[in-house]
């Protein structure tokens, strides 16, 4: 798990700061500057009108940080992660309902973050209200989310049943398969309060005092610790949490920016966890997760394809080329029906994957601004 998360009322995930924002609704004053530090989170303005709200986050601290926009109940409306010291990243969020929100910086990418109140006012309209292609894009992607959510639940039940039955080899085989579906839709499925850390929290990343549960707790039991007194209970809890998140994900009303930001967010997930081998540290099945994240990013871009074609055909060609290059490289690490273990990759192979990921992430980071132009 990284931090995860697309949304209910708005858009999710990160967008690198390149060029000037187009058509953002931060008002005449432009993007809202955020100065993040190790012990502070200074947001230049604490209010905005409904519409596309742009934040430009600069990390002036010494730790890698994240920036979030939360709705009530810690529902993630927007998120930009993996902001290294000295870097600036941009987040565009479509907020269509007035209300009280919260901003948060998370130094070290842990905990609840340094939070401030943020107010949105006005009567907003969705971008899909006036653009048929944008509306079709969100409808298309929602169909994708729904199908993947159904498969995620089915595979999770198979996995947890195997865990409870003590069928260790079966459970180990099913673990990366179930997680693939989670990784494909994580920006949506991981946006609901504390369900993401319950399902996908890594032991060293979850907030202090939060119980270690979910996939990675069971992963540790299967590959390292052996069955514990509460392993069966943990399997039941995972199934219940997945049932809940699937229900919520299928009920989300998506917006075009959710797709654009989610596509970039999924690649950030790879960069912050999978390419480092930190995500599945006990099973080393990180390449299955890598494949799922890339699949999800590609699906989001595919739904937006007619929109990108109309507004920047050259960018669409670049995206196709970069996705193809990363796909070819990733598929070269197939082994049987799955992938090599992360520990079987050489340093040169990891670097090649990282370079291809960076090459794809740069154009994907521009899609949100294309969508809002």
């Amino acid at each position: 798990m990284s931090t995860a998360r697309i949304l209910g009322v708005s858009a999710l995930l990160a967008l690198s700061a390149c060029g000037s924002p187009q058509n953002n609704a931060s008002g005449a004053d432009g993007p809202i500057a955020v100065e993040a530090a190790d012990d502070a989170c200074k947001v230049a303005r604490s209010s905005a009108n409904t519409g596309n709200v742009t934040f430009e986050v600069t990390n002036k601290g010494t730790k890698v940080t994240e920036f979030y926009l939360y709705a009530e109940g810690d529902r993630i409306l927007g998120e930009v992660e993996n902001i290294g010291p000295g870097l600036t990243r941009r987040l565009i969020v479509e907020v269509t309902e007035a209300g009280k929100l919260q901003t948060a910086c998370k130094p070290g990418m842990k905990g609840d973050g340094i939070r401030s109140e943020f107010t949105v006012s006005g009567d907003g309209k969705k971008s899909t209200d006036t653009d048929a292609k944008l509306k079709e894009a969100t409808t298309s992607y929602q169909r994708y989310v729904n199908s993947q959510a159904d498969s995620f639940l089915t595979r999770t039940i198979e996995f947890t049943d195997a865990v409870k039955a003590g069928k260790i080899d079966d459970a180990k085989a099913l673990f990366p398969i179930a997680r693939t579906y989670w990784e494909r839709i994580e920006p949506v499925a991981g946006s609901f309060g504390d369900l993401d850390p319950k399902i996908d929290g890594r032991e060293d990343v979850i907030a202090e005092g939060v119980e270690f549960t979910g996939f990675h707790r069971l992963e540790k039991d299967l590959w390292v610790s052996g069955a514990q007194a509460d392993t069966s209970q943990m399997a039941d809890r995972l199934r219940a949490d997945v049932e809940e998140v699937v229900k919520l994900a299928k009920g989300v009303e998506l917006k075009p920016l959710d797709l654009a930001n989610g596509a970039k967010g999924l690649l950030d997930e790879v960069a912050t966890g999978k390419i480092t081998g930190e995500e599945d540290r006990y099973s080393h099945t990180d390449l299955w997760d890598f494949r799922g994240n890339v699949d999800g990013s590609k699906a989001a871009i595919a739904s937006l394809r007619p929109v990108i074609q109309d507004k920047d055909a050259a960018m669409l060609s670049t995206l196709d080329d970069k996705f193809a290059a990363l796909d070819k490289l990733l598929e070269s690490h197939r082994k049987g029906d799955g992938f090599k273990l992360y520990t079987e990759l050489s340093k040169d192979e990891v670097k090649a994957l990282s370079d291809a990921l960076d090459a794809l992430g740069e154009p994907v980071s521009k899609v949100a601004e294309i969508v809002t132009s």
Side-chain angles (χ1 to χ4, degrees):
M1 161 208 148
S2 178
T3 58
R5 324 79 128 116
I6 304 187
L7 3 111
V9 189
S10 90
L12 180 295
L13 293 179
L15 177 68
S16 68
C18 44
S20 301
Q22 302 177 48
N23 237 5
N24 77 73
S26 299
D29 296 329
I32 300 171
V34 179
E35 185 178 305
D38 293 347
D39 58 359
C41 185
K42 299 178 181 178
V43 184
R45 299 207 311 276
S46 61
S47 64
N49 293 325
T50 53
N52 294 337
V53 182
T54 301
F55 297 93
E56 196 159 273
V57 186
T58 300
N59 184 1
K60 295 191 174 182
T62 62
K63 302 176 182 178
V64 177
T65 195
E66 300 170 329
F67 178 78
Y68 287 78
L69 183 65
Y70 286 109
E72 184 179 359
D74 278 2
R75 182 159 50 86
I76 299 171
L77 301 185
E79 168 195 5
V80 55
E81 60 185 32
N82 199 29
I83 312 171
L87 296 182
T88 297
R89 301 286 297 279
R90 181 173 293 163
L91 171 69
I92 306 174
V93 184
E94 183 179 1
V95 185
T96 58
E97 296 180 10
K100 296 287 187 180
L101 309 178
Q102 284 188 326
T103 58
C105 298
K106 290 190 179 181
M109 302 193 294
K110 292 183 179 181
D112 292 332
I114 303 167
R115 301 199 179 199
S116 300
E117 297 298 318
F118 191 85
T119 303
V120 176
S121 57
D123 297 322
K125 289 185 176 181
K126 303 181 185 69
S127 56
T128 54
D129 289 344
T130 56
D131 191 311
K133 286 185 177 179
L134 288 177
K135 186 173 184 178
E136 174 53 32
T138 59
T139 300
S140 170
Y141 187 69
Q142 185 66 69
R143 288 194 294 266
Y144 174 78
V145 168
N146 291 350
S147 68
Q148 297 302 306
D150 286 337
S151 296
F152 177 43
L153 179 55
T154 297
R155 293 300 193 177
T156 298
I157 291 172
E158 292 173 352
F159 168 64
T160 54
D161 282 351
V163 170
K164 293 181 66 178
K167 298 179 179 178
I168 304 303
D169 290 342
D170 289 349
K172 285 182 174 181
L174 289 164
F175 172 81
I177 297 172
R179 286 188 53 76
T180 297
Y181 294 98
W182 163 265
E183 298 295 351
R184 286 173 179 166
I185 60 171
E186 189 171 359
V188 179
S191 66
F192 302 105
D194 63 354
L195 281 171
D196 177 37
K198 286 181 178 179
I199 291 170
D200 197 34
R202 299 202 306 267
E203 192 169 13
D204 62 334
V205 174
I206 55 177
E208 186 176 350
V210 174
E211 188 177 6
F212 181 35
T213 63
F215 275 109
H216 294 302
R217 163 55 203 278
L218 293 174
E219 178 195 10
K220 186 175 183 180
D221 289 357
L222 289 169
W223 272 272
V224 178
S225 306
Q228 303 296 299
D230 63 346
T231 295
S232 183
Q233 177 188 353
M234 287 294 168
D236 285 337
R237 288 180 60 175
L238 175 61
R239 173 173 174 165
D241 288 337
V242 168
E243 287 174 343
E244 178 66 13
V245 86
V246 164
K247 180 178 71 175
L248 292 170
K250 293 174 73 171
V252 158
E253 183 178 357
L254 296 170
K255 302 178 184 66
L257 273 173
D258 297 342
L259 281 59
N261 289 335
K264 181 59 172 69
L266 284 165
L267 299 183
D268 284 346
E269 283 286 316
V270 180
T272 57
K274 286 71 175 180
I275 202 66
T276 62
E278 296 174 28
E279 182 78 13
D280 299 329
R281 63 189 62 182
Y282 311 116
S283 64
H284 307 301
T285 55
D286 304 86
L287 290 184
W288 277 262
D289 288 3
F290 192 137
R291 177 75 270 172
N293 283 155
V294 174
D295 287 345
S297 181
K298 188 189 295 186
I301 297 300
S303 294
L304 288 166
R305 190 176 187 86
V307 178
I308 303 171
Q309 177 68 48
D310 283 353
K311 297 186 176 185
D312 194 336
M315 177 58 72
L316 185 59
S317 178
T318 297
L319 288 165
D320 287 344
D321 289 344
K322 300 303 182 185
F323 267 116
L326 181 57
D327 278 343
K328 182 178 180 180
L329 193 57
L330 184 55
E331 290 301 304
S332 73
H333 298 299
R334 281 279 181 186
K335 188 174 183 179
D337 293 333
F339 290 91
K340 297 177 183 176
L341 298 181
Y342 184 82
T343 49
E344 295 177 314
L345 300 179
S346 68
K347 289 183 179 179
D348 286 344
E349 288 172 329
V350 172
K351 185 179 185 304
L353 285 168
S354 181
D355 289 346
L357 179 66
D358 288 345
L360 173 60
E362 194 274 334
V364 170
S365 73
K366 298 178 180 178
V367 173
E369 291 192 45
I370 293 172
V371 169
T372 59
S373 66

